[in-house]
Amino acid sequence: MSSLLVVGADHLGNITDKLINSGFKEIIHLDGRKVNMVKRDIPEHIDLVLVMTDYVNHNLAKVIKQKAKNQEKPIYFVKRSWSSIHLVLQKAKVTKQAN
């Protein structure tokens, strides 16, 4: 996996560095604060979508989930903590290797 879309949270802080160390070459972050965020599409080159559930409204989460499903992109819902993110990334790697 090389491209990641993170939806939610105002700032990622050191999570960005940890994601890069986990093998992601490109990380796109949408904070989800603006109303027009629901109109944005998921870029085609994105390999994985992470939604920070404690920093995103229900409507945006629902819209992103549907867009990811339509584009057949894996989507995971996580809390804004590295332990939660790391656990999901490990699960995503196992799933990708099984396919």
Side-chain angles (χ1 to χ4, degrees):
M1 288 185 228
S2 61
S3 298
L4 173 70
L5 174 66
V6 179
V7 181
D10 290 336
H11 303 284
L12 295 179
N14 66 349
I15 292 174
T16 304
D17 294 334
K18 291 180 178 185
L19 289 169
I20 290 169
N21 289 338
S22 294
F24 290 99
K25 294 181 175 74
E26 181 182 14
I27 301 161
I28 299 173
H29 176 233
L30 302 176
D31 61 19
R33 289 276 186 180
K34 297 185 174 96
V35 176
N36 65 356
M37 288 285 177
V38 296
K39 298 176 184 174
R40 304 254 330 241
D41 287 328
I42 299 171
E44 286 297 320
H45 67 281
I46 292 296
D47 297 315
L48 180 75
V49 179
L50 284 181
V51 179
M52 305 263 183
T53 57
D54 37 358
Y55 290 92
V56 69
N57 68 54
H58 290 281
N59 186 48
L60 179 57
K62 184 174 128 182
V63 169
I64 290 290
K65 181 179 179 180
Q66 187 60 47
K67 288 181 180 185
K69 183 178 177 182
N70 292 344
Q71 294 181 10
E72 299 178 353
K73 306 276 185 192
I75 184 168
Y76 294 94
F77 295 86
V78 297
K79 293 187 177 200
R80 191 189 175 277
S81 71
W82 178 245
S83 59
S84 176
I85 295 167
H86 184 68
L87 184 66
V88 164
L89 292 179
Q90 294 299 346
K91 187 185 298 184
K93 283 182 182 179
V94 169
T95 303
K96 186 173 182 173
Q97 289 174 354
N99 292 334

